[in-house]
Amino acid sequence: MSRRSRILRAAALAGVLSGAPSTVHALATGESPLAASRAAGALTGRPGLVRGAFAHTVVSLWWVAALDRVLPRRQPIAWGLAAGGAIAALDLWLVGRRIPAIRALPVAPQVADHLAFGVLAAVSLRARGRSTSDQLSTPRRSGPARSG
């Protein structure tokens, strides 16, 4: 599978499914399950569902491409959790605190979404074959195997 295909697949999976924690929280508390999506639209100028879907797609693709470059192949769940925590810190505290619509969201469900994103992205990226960097760094045998 090409790197581009792997990134697109992982971004789609992680981008869609990682919103489950905040969606469940919103439904349980009677809030709008689309609030976080609308808030993401503020990254493009003002909150809105279409803008939010666009922003979320671009950000998801960017983060998955970055994770594909830096995450080790082994222990994708552990590394995905660590990556999701780092992404949450950057997205929610460094960027999000400057954007009122994002700052207004409940923090715990947003952090849970980011942790889920990291795990889903890491597992998906490593689900099929080795990454391009792993393939380049692993020597291949040439010729018949020797016994002996």
Side-chain angles (χ1 to χ4, degrees):
M1 175 179 292
S2 74
R3 179 173 188 262
R4 182 178 300 181
S5 296
R6 189 175 58 252
I7 288 170
L8 289 172
R9 183 193 71 218
L13 176 79
V16 171
L17 298 180
S18 66
S22 63
T23 300
V24 169
H25 177 269
L27 292 171
T29 60
E31 299 296 323
S32 170
L34 299 176
S37 296
R38 286 189 191 101
L43 295 170
T44 67
R46 68 176 188 267
L49 191 55
V50 173
R51 287 173 175 258
F54 173 76
H56 193 264
T57 299
V58 170
V59 170
S60 293
L61 283 167
W62 190 90
W63 278 121
V64 169
L67 294 178
D68 186 53
R69 292 263 186 217
V70 302
L71 287 183
R73 179 161 160 61
R74 296 201 171 144
Q75 301 177 336
I77 293 173
W79 283 107
L81 277 171
I87 293 169
L90 292 169
D91 282 356
L92 300 175
W93 286 286
L94 188 64
V95 176
R97 69 181 177 163
R98 293 181 173 96
I99 300 172
I102 294 173
R103 193 174 55 239
L105 296 170
V107 175
Q110 295 306 308
V111 171
D113 284 357
H114 283 76
L115 294 173
F117 178 87
V119 169
L120 290 164
V123 168
S124 180
L125 286 169
R126 302 304 177 237
R128 291 206 183 227
R130 295 183 292 185
S131 70
T132 304
S133 60
D134 288 342
Q135 290 173 6
L136 293 174
S137 65
T138 304
R140 294 180 183 249
R141 283 189 168 180
S142 60
R146 295 184 196 185
S147 61

